[in-house]
Amino acid sequence: MCTSFFDDAARRARRYREAIGERRVAPDDKAVGALSRFREPLPEHPCLPEEVLALLDEAGSPATLATTGGRYFGFVTGGSLPAAVAANWLAAAWDQNAAMAVMSPVAVTLERIALEWVVDVLGLPDGTAGSLVTGATMANFTCLAAARHAVLTAAGWDVESQGLFGAPPVTVVAGAEVHVSLLKALAMLGLGRDRVVSVPADSQGRMRADSIPDLRGPAIVCLQAGNVNTGAFDPAVEAIAIARRHGAWVHVDGAFGLWAAASPNYRHLMAGYDQADSWATDAHKWPNVPYDSGVALVREAAPLYRAMSSQAAYLASQEPVREPYHYTPESSRRARGADLWAALKSLGRSGLAELIDRTCAHARRFAVVLTEAGYEILNEVVINQVLVSFGEPEVTLRVIERVQAEGVCWCGTTVWQGHRAMRISVSSWATTGEDVETSARAIIAAAREVAVRK
Ligand SMILES: *Cc1c(COP(=O)(O)O)cnc(C)c1O
């Protein structure tokens, strides 16, 4: 393959990234319609790589959402730091299998270092074990598998060997505003999403710790650091004290909220969370690592190893190096440690703290500007999430549709405790103060237009 082919790929990628601020955030109908260029029967014959790439860029690039620009506020979406994207390219060129050290010394080393840095910057206990997975859903799954192992082992049951047939029942407790992906993880683990004991939540979605019931037998208490709508944190100090009294395992879904611990200004929200047994988080949200990148963290290595290893015995202490495939649902995996390592290396402790502070300040600015314009903010803006109501549910929906169609920025829709809302999540390193002002103006103009036409 001639070298200029990879140069062409880099050139196209660079052009895409450089033009991101000038284009619509959501693709228009024409760009989406042009995806029909991909529709053809499986080619009978080869095609030049240059032509493959040209089609991908010409038909594909315009039909993306501009999530790497500064004005995408949908879901909770990081924007991908340049160093991490470049590391991802290089690691793709390496094409390493990160399952075992013998397959890739560099992938295994970077994964281990990245995990140590994450534990450090999040203020979790020294020696916390972990693994890199695809996202918070799989991180929840991985951590809860370790939890299932630990609580059933304590009850004299070997779940990896015997499955759940005839096992002592496991009680799982979660707040009423638990993220659906945690319930999905429980379903995949045979713990049952509808068996969850749901603890009432307050107006911000925080579990009412004093409503955690008495627990008997094997039990797992699931806390949330960062509600996907409001950004609120469950009261960890109280909840963990209660869980400990009952001998329960404490798991934390902190897909994005966990990263609040990386900033001295927001660390207080994470008070007590270091006392949990396991933590799931995303690197592709707030830390702005490219997709897909999640982190599963477990205080003790043994239950994680036992739940994930294909070997029955716990051999980690005899291992000369940590072998990733003993700690993950997958065996073969890409070298995703390279992306996370590069993001943390390029930001440093101060850069990560500043990213957290800046995005939270942008969120507060949205709340101020929209309040001044007469619209209602439904949540306490504690971190980077803002919920806005423009009045009646249909009006709010029409404002959101209009904002999305205009393309200046992109905000999604949600229902918060029965109220239709626009959700603004400021999670990208790329968002500037100017992006916030431009986007707020576009949102207000759309809301006024909808009000006039009502
Ligand atoms: C986003 C999110 C998840 C799911 O994360 P994925 O990376 O999409 O798997 C889980 N919990 C919370 C609180 C989230 O915000």
Side-chain angles (χ1 to χ4, degrees):
M1 178 92 31
C2 63
T3 49
S4 65
F5 172 70
F6 285 124
D7 287 344
D8 185 34
R11 204 163 37 241
R12 289 177 185 278
R14 198 187 67 209
R15 208 184 304 139
Y16 177 83
R17 297 282 288 216
E18 283 173 359
I20 207 76
E22 274 91 69
R23 55 162 275 187
R24 306 169 40 81
V25 176
D28 58 19
D29 292 345
K30 187 162 154 269
V32 176
L35 290 172
S36 60
R37 288 180 66 191
F38 289 118
R39 258 179 224 118
E40 59 172 338
L42 173 69
E44 291 299 330
H45 301 294
C47 172
L48 285 175
E50 288 80 357
E51 289 172 25
V52 174
L53 188 65
L55 176 60
L56 186 65
D57 189 23
E58 285 158 22
S61 294
T64 55
L65 271 288
T67 54
T68 59
R71 297 192 304 276
Y72 183 84
F73 307 107
F75 305 90
V76 181
T77 303
S80 77
L81 291 158
V85 174
N88 177 286
W89 292 350
L90 189 57
W94 294 344
D95 191 30
Q96 298 291 282
N97 189 336
M100 299 156 77
V102 70
M103 298 173 111
S104 180
V106 62
V108 171
T109 299
L110 290 175
E111 172 159 341
R112 185 185 190 125
I113 291 168
L115 279 166
E116 286 169 5
W117 287 358
V118 170
V119 169
D120 176 351
V121 83
L122 297 182
L124 300 180
D126 280 348
T128 293
S131 55
L132 300 185
V133 293
T134 47
T137 303
M138 281 314 288
N140 279 322
F141 172 85
T142 304
C143 290
L144 289 166
R148 186 182 68 165
H149 170 91
V151 299
L152 284 174
T153 299
W157 188 264
D158 181 347
V159 66
E160 282 75 30
S161 301
Q162 303 302 318
L164 288 168
F165 306 100
V170 178
T171 306
V172 181
V173 175
E177 295 289 351
V178 61
H179 194 272
V180 287
S181 76
L182 189 126
L183 300 177
K184 174 175 167 175
L186 292 171
M188 291 194 289
L189 287 161
L191 295 173
R193 60 159 67 92
D194 291 346
R195 294 180 73 259
V196 171
V197 177
S198 184
V199 177
D202 68 11
S203 66
Q204 301 305 306
R206 290 174 295 232
M207 167 196 288
R208 294 185 188 278
D210 55 10
S211 300
I212 295 176
D214 279 348
L215 302 167
R216 254 174 277 283
I220 303 168
V221 174
C222 300
L223 304 184
Q224 185 166 250
N227 176 280
V228 74
N229 283 306
T230 63
F233 290 67
D234 284 344
V237 174
E238 296 89 324
I240 294 177
I242 295 166
R244 286 281 173 259
R245 272 208 300 282
H246 300 305
W249 177 286
V250 179
H251 169 67
V252 179
D253 176 4
F256 60 104
L258 219 57
W259 298 92
S263 161
N265 296 316
Y266 293 91
R267 197 166 289 155
H268 62 278
L269 296 168
M270 282 287 294
Y273 276 96
D274 59 334
Q275 299 302 309
D277 297 293
S278 59
W279 306 263
T281 193
D282 266 320
H284 56 226
K285 286 179 177 166
W286 231 350
N288 280 252
V289 172
Y291 290 103
D292 39 24
S293 191
V295 189
L297 298 160
V298 182
R299 179 183 287 270
E300 304 287 342
L304 175 61
Y305 185 101
R306 289 238 178 83
M308 289 294 140
S309 178
S310 45
Q311 299 175 1
Y314 178 48
L315 299 172
S317 57
Q318 294 153 33
E319 281 181 327
V321 287
R322 173 187 173 281
E323 298 285 14
Y325 80 120
H326 289 315
Y327 298 87
T328 54
E330 307 89 352
S331 293
S332 297
R333 304 141 68 232
R334 70 182 181 95
R336 59 167 58 82
D339 313 12
L340 178 54
W341 168 84
L344 296 174
K345 172 82 175 159
S346 74
L347 287 170
R349 204 182 290 277
S350 67
L352 182 60
E354 207 263 332
L355 169 62
I356 300 302
D357 290 353
R358 180 158 35 99
T359 43
C360 290
H362 288 331
R364 281 198 303 277
R365 176 67 188 158
F366 265 119
V368 165
V369 175
L370 292 168
T371 302
E372 282 172 4
Y375 305 112
E376 188 189 359
I377 305 301
L378 300 181
N379 66 316
E380 293 165 16
V381 181
V382 286
I383 46 171
N384 63 330
Q385 304 289 110
V386 187
L387 301 178
V388 197
S389 167
F390 297 91
E392 294 298 308
E394 318 79 65
V395 173
T396 297
L397 265 185
R398 266 190 284 143
V399 173
I400 295 166
E401 278 162 16
R402 199 178 171 90
V403 166
Q404 291 179 355
E406 281 175 355
V408 173
C409 65
W410 203 97
C411 306
T413 175
T414 190
V415 176
W416 176 245
Q417 297 187 340
H419 303 283
R420 175 63 64 179
M422 171 189 276
R423 178 171 56 193
I424 303 174
S425 173
V426 189
S427 304
S428 174
W429 72 280
T431 299
T432 64
E434 201 182 314
D435 285 324
V436 174
E437 303 306 324
T438 305
S439 301
R441 270 200 303 277
I443 293 167
I444 292 166
R448 293 199 174 135
E449 193 63 30
V450 166
V452 166
R453 288 172 182 227
K454 204 176 156 192

